[in-house]
Amino acid sequence: MTSSAAYNFNDSKLLWTPSHPGHATCERLRREINMKRGLKLKDYNGLHAYSVSTYTFWLDLWDFMGIIASVPPRPDQIIVPGAIPERPSWFPSARLNYAENLLWRDDSAIAITAAYEYDLIPTRADKAQFSGVKQYTFHELRELVRIMAAGMKRAGVRVGDRVAAIITNSVTGIVIALAAASIGAIFSSTATDMGTSGILDRYRQIRPKILFASSEAVYAGKTINITGKIADIESDLRVGGHGLEKAVVLRSEKTGDLMHVPNCSTIDAFLTPTSAAEDYPLTFEQLPFDHPLYILYSSGTSGPPKCIVHAAGGALMNSKKDCNIAFGISPTDVYFQYTTTAWMMWPFMLSGLACGARIVLYEGSPFYPDVREYLKFIDWAGVTVLGTSPRFLSELQARNVDPLSIASPSVPFTGLREITVTGSVLTAQLMTWTHNAFGRNLHIGSSSGGTDVFCAFVTSVQSFPLYAGELQGPALGMAVSVYSPSGQPISDSSCTPGELVITRPHPSVPLYFLNDTPTHEKFVSAYFRSFPPGHDGVPVWRHGDFVIRNPATGGFVFLGRSDGVLNPSGVRFGSAEIYKLVDGDLAGLEAVKDVLCVGQRRKGEDDERVLLFLTMKEGYEGKLGKELRQRIRSVIREGLSRRHEPAGIFEVDDIPYTVNGKKIEIAVKQIVSGIDVVPSGTVSNPGSFKLYYKYRDFEKMMKEEEGVDMGRARKAKAKL
Ligand SMILES: CC(=O)CC(=O)O
């Protein structure tokens, strides 16, 4: 029998209360809908209920956000059956262009502030700090996009062609993406530090017509020339018959030098028209709402990634909704999302431009030259909305960094009003630390959704109080529910965790996967096969997150990925419940740097055991002794129960992460359970996988590392 441990919400501490809840953007939307539709929606909960009860909500949202379209949507054609039954078509009569919706401003305000890590190195005393950081006005951005789109048109790029980039998080990346979108081409990007095979795993599948490539990778003090890698990739994609017609190499961002790679154009040659007649004006191809826009990749840690195709209208509406309504971004904001071009948060954050805000780009490590410079840069740039990850925040905490003491001495982080966190679970402890560390009036929004949907399912609610460790509520238009393993909705009042599901379509469900079967088998089975359709026949989307909703606050707590749910002796719980307790400085566990918790299920054994892997802080390596193990076990026993205690606690040199900073549990679970896993290009430290194979022999490792003879322990137990 399987039961879920009742979750303890006692630590749901009130962290923040809105000083003017009525000023929140979601409240303005609520009032507008009330007026327009003659409704009496009382608060965000009422607005959310409305948003998932009628598709008319999406029309209301369209008007509220001012979506620019040459043909507006027809109210009687919001959603109609699509080619894939699970993926209806949206707004079939509307015609619009994604890039036009991001480039609506044409003035001299700053649109983009773009920095590389080396721009943060303090320079000569007589030079103003950050003088290397570049700024572009909205007007300049439009002109750059025009010039790039003209080059693409001369190169024969047409509606539906694929444009790919291997690129740093630079203004050029944005210019390429928006130029492609202005023509109606489909854009896809990867980061410059991804290996050749990882890039080819992606671009062989999408068959780009044209490839743009940076010539350098920049990280942690190193600027690495990658022109050799670009030559190999170009040759594979072109000569190897994967459809490439042209490759263009960008100037060195660091030196401004023109870079040359055999068989590739230089960016200057590409952008120079041969005659005035070939210097085209900026135009925006008017396309259906469901026209494909971006190809993103599943972060599968083994095997080739799936190519997820997102529609222009859905990507625009849902990411703009998150930026504008959940984060409250408006033209007076400065939005900085730390990301690489390989993560979904890169195209997502471009919606800051759709909101009329300035966006900030940063390429490199936040810890180089020094995280203090990075924080000063955030302050200097006037960032009002900062997007970051739990990994970055916990690193700040581990290094005892005090952000308030290092920004401009008088009033640090003057404008910063919101920190949005995504990528993995933000524990109550880390949320509280962040709240204290950056100043108490900040709203800290934790969001979850991802690559598959180009938006958040659960996110910030600016008009509601914030409780430590909780994601405040379901995003508008997202019919979020929690299901039991048998597909029954779990009531909030039962305090029982389950699967996060979405029970209604929304516009940024992907269009399809590339290279799927004719019946879209991979697409349908990735999301829609786990549970039968709801009572209204609507397919149910399973996202793979294990969550619980707090009946008292309405907030959600994410407990881990549901594939990684731990199930010893029939108790189901998420790894985040363990991470929360074994988190660094809590409970005197200051020696612990990082933790990975996975289940081990071996052939012939009917139960699962919980294994805990730790990395240790500098100075504590090799010091995971009996005493610390006992302390960890007792912290877990007291915080959760005896049944949550790990069977084995082991010290490892490295814990695997994806390039986007997500801890990799499933692959390690498979490895320790006897399945070989070949790391994909998505793993940032692929060598770490091999550290876990030896734990398949649990008994041996217990003897060697914990000093426990399991055979003898079992026999002794049997005699009792
Ligand atoms: C919005 C997100 O959920 C981003 C991510 O974690 O990939």
Side-chain angles (χ1 to χ4, degrees):
M1 212 192 82
T2 292
S3 69
S4 288
Y7 191 81
N8 173 8
F9 280 109
N10 290 344
D11 57 0
S12 285
K13 201 173 72 205
L14 179 65
L15 213 55
W16 175 91
T17 319
S19 46
H20 301 288
H23 293 182
T25 317
C26 57
E27 282 295 288
R28 284 202 292 110
L29 172 63
R30 180 183 67 80
R31 289 194 292 268
E32 187 168 305
I33 291 177
N34 275 346
M35 264 203 350
K36 192 160 147 190
R37 306 275 171 212
L39 296 172
K40 290 199 171 108
L41 308 173
K42 277 222 259 321
D43 59 8
Y44 184 87
N45 289 336
L47 176 61
H48 181 265
Y50 168 77
S51 76
V52 295
S53 67
T54 168
Y55 293 113
T56 303
F57 163 75
W58 295 99
L59 269 186
D60 298 337
L61 187 67
W62 183 297
D63 292 343
F64 182 79
M65 297 197 303
I67 300 293
I68 301 164
S70 58
V71 183
R74 273 177 42 182
D76 61 338
Q77 284 196 343
I78 299 174
I79 176 168
V80 299
I84 307 178
E86 288 77 5
R87 206 285 173 193
S89 283
W90 285 80
F91 298 119
S93 54
R95 290 295 176 272
L96 74 163
N97 185 281
Y98 170 85
E100 187 171 14
N101 276 276
L102 270 65
L103 293 171
W104 59 270
R105 283 189 72 167
D106 189 10
D107 55 49
S108 59
I110 305 293
I112 297 181
T113 298
Y116 278 76
E117 58 174 31
Y118 45 71
D119 295 325
L120 272 48
I121 298 171
T123 47
R124 293 197 324 268
D126 57 340
K127 242 180 149 188
Q129 189 164 20
F130 307 127
S131 57
V133 174
K134 297 195 179 74
Q135 314 248 33
Y136 303 84
T137 67
F138 285 100
H139 183 70
E140 285 166 342
L141 178 61
R142 274 178 75 100
E143 179 58 6
L144 290 172
V145 173
R146 182 194 72 75
I147 295 168
M148 184 63 75
M152 288 185 190
K153 286 172 193 164
R154 284 191 296 276
V157 175
R158 304 273 177 268
V159 174
D161 284 340
R162 264 90 60 213
V163 172
I166 302 163
I167 198 150
T168 55
N169 182 15
S170 57
V171 73
T172 315
I174 294 178
V175 166
I176 295 166
L178 295 186
S182 73
I183 297 173
I186 310 169
F187 180 76
S188 193
S189 57
T190 67
T192 48
D193 60 357
M194 187 172 275
T196 305
S197 67
I199 294 173
L200 287 175
D201 276 352
R202 287 159 176 73
Y203 290 172
R204 276 184 191 152
Q205 293 194 70
I206 73 164
R207 301 176 61 81
K209 182 171 196 169
I210 183 161
L211 173 74
F212 291 88
S214 298
S215 53
E216 296 152 346
V218 177
Y219 202 77
K222 294 198 188 86
T223 301
I224 301 158
N225 183 316
I226 58 163
T227 50
K229 175 163 84 180
I230 300 305
D232 292 346
I233 291 167
E234 185 277 336
S235 146
D236 185 284
L237 294 178
R238 196 171 53 82
V239 186
H242 299 288
L244 188 71
E245 292 179 13
K246 194 171 195 64
V248 182
V249 180
L250 306 177
R251 279 180 180 270
S252 159
E253 292 276 351
K254 193 167 186 179
T255 62
D257 291 346
L258 210 51
M259 303 300 282
H260 298 271
V261 176
N263 301 318
C264 299
S265 300
T266 62
I267 185 69
D268 288 20
F270 180 78
L271 295 179
T272 309
T274 46
S275 70
E278 285 204 324
D279 196 15
Y280 304 107
L282 181 61
T283 52
F284 299 106
E285 190 73 27
Q286 296 300 302
L287 298 157
F289 187 89
D290 274 348
H291 182 73
L293 170 74
Y294 284 123
I295 303 173
L296 305 183
Y297 303 92
S298 64
S299 60
T301 44
S302 62
K306 296 187 193 89
C307 304
I308 303 169
V309 183
H310 279 290
L316 170 67
M317 271 198 105
N318 262 339
S319 59
K320 186 168 181 185
K321 180 192 69 184
D322 289 343
C323 287
N324 183 212
I325 294 170
F327 307 162
I329 296 179
S330 75
T332 54
D333 274 304
V334 180
Y335 174 33
F336 172 27
Q337 171 65 50
Y338 179 82
T339 179
T340 73
T341 58
W343 189 20
M344 156 269 173
M345 289 308 287
W346 188 80
F348 175 93
M349 59 109 182
L350 301 190
S351 257
L353 295 172
C355 299
R358 167 152 64 103
I359 59 172
V360 177
L361 313 179
Y362 180 82
E363 175 74 18
S365 164
F367 295 95
Y368 181 86
D370 183 327
V371 72
R372 287 162 185 81
E373 297 305 322
Y374 179 76
L375 291 168
K376 277 187 207 162
F377 165 71
I378 291 170
D379 189 38
W380 171 87
V383 171
T384 60
V385 179
L386 171 65
T388 186
S389 62
R391 201 166 177 205
F392 172 72
L393 296 169
S394 64
E395 201 59 46
L396 283 189
Q397 186 189 19
R399 294 177 188 216
N400 289 321
V401 176
D402 173 11
L404 290 180
S405 72
I406 58 177
S408 40
S410 48
V411 197
F413 299 112
T414 331
L416 190 61
R417 60 168 180 80
E418 168 91 19
I419 298 188
T420 71
V421 187
T422 195
S424 54
V425 175
L426 179 66
T427 60
Q429 182 275 334
L430 192 54
M431 193 187 256
T432 307
W433 178 86
T434 308
H435 182 66
N436 294 331
F438 281 87
R440 293 187 167 270
N441 57 354
L442 276 191
H443 178 260
I444 299 169
S446 184
S447 293
S448 187
T451 304
D452 310 83
V453 281
F454 210 91
C455 66
F457 288 134
V458 185
T459 190
S460 296
V461 181
Q462 305 259 348
S463 56
F464 277 179
L466 171 72
Y467 292 86
E470 295 189 3
L471 290 79
Q472 287 177 286
L476 294 175
M478 296 292 149
V480 175
S481 188
V482 182
Y483 272 18
S484 70
S486 62
Q488 297 305 312
I490 295 176
S491 74
D492 300 342
S493 58
S494 71
C495 262
T496 307
E499 286 275 354
L500 177 88
V501 297
I502 308 297
T503 59
R504 258 170 96 83
H506 59 86
S508 63
V509 169
L511 285 172
Y512 46 81
F513 291 166
L514 284 185
N515 311 318
D516 205 346
T517 65
T519 54
H520 302 277
E521 190 52 34
K522 285 189 206 155
F523 173 80
V524 176
S525 62
Y527 307 122
F528 295 107
R529 282 273 157 71
S530 302
F531 298 113
H535 64 272
D536 43 8
V538 175
V540 172
W541 171 289
R542 171 192 178 263
H543 197 61
D545 283 323
F546 190 58
V547 302
I548 188 165
R549 192 162 193 192
N550 185 343
T553 65
F556 287 78
V557 176
F558 278 61
L559 304 171
R561 293 293 291 166
S562 46
D563 296 342
V565 160
L566 299 144
N567 197 1
S569 320
V571 190
R572 278 162 55 84
F573 60 98
S575 53
E577 294 178 74
I578 302 286
Y579 299 150
K580 175 170 97 171
L581 295 170
V582 189
D583 198 320
D585 296 333
L586 265 188
L589 301 176
E590 64 282 345
V592 177
K593 183 172 169 208
D594 200 2
V595 193
L596 180 78
C597 183
V598 299
Q600 180 181 51
R601 197 169 264 277
R602 293 184 313 183
K603 249 197 201 139
E605 292 178 347
D606 42 354
D607 199 10
E608 180 175 285
R609 67 171 67 86
V610 176
L611 306 185
L612 201 63
F613 296 101
L614 311 179
T615 55
M616 305 294 278
K617 286 205 190 121
E618 215 179 303
Y620 292 98
E621 294 98 337
K623 295 203 175 130
L624 172 61
K626 197 168 169 186
E627 199 193 316
L628 183 54
R629 283 190 170 93
Q630 267 171 3
R631 200 131 43 90
I632 292 172
R633 286 198 167 93
S634 90
V635 163
I636 295 175
R637 200 164 51 239
E638 278 154 31
L640 291 162
S641 81
R642 189 170 286 282
R643 293 200 289 172
H644 292 77
E645 263 183 57
I649 305 180
F650 306 110
E651 182 178 342
V652 285
D653 288 339
D654 206 1
I655 285 177
Y657 274 87
T658 68
V659 287
N660 297 330
K662 291 176 201 286
K663 219 176 257 189
I664 299 174
E665 292 171 351
I666 310 303
V668 173
K669 176 177 179 163
Q670 287 171 335
I671 290 171
V672 298
S673 302
I675 301 168
D676 292 353
V677 184
V678 180
S680 74
T682 307
V683 184
S684 79
N685 47 350
S688 59
F689 277 23
K690 65 177 186 310
L691 303 173
Y692 294 86
Y693 279 82
K694 63 183 180 190
Y695 295 97
R696 287 176 177 180
D697 193 342
F698 173 72
E699 286 75 10
K700 181 166 170 242
M701 295 318 294
M702 280 299 281
K703 194 160 182 191
E704 276 182 25
E705 297 198 10
E706 287 224 32
V708 175
D709 186 328
M710 292 304 293
R712 217 179 296 153
R714 257 194 299 270
K715 272 188 213 140
K717 208 166 159 196
K719 278 194 198 144
L720 289 176

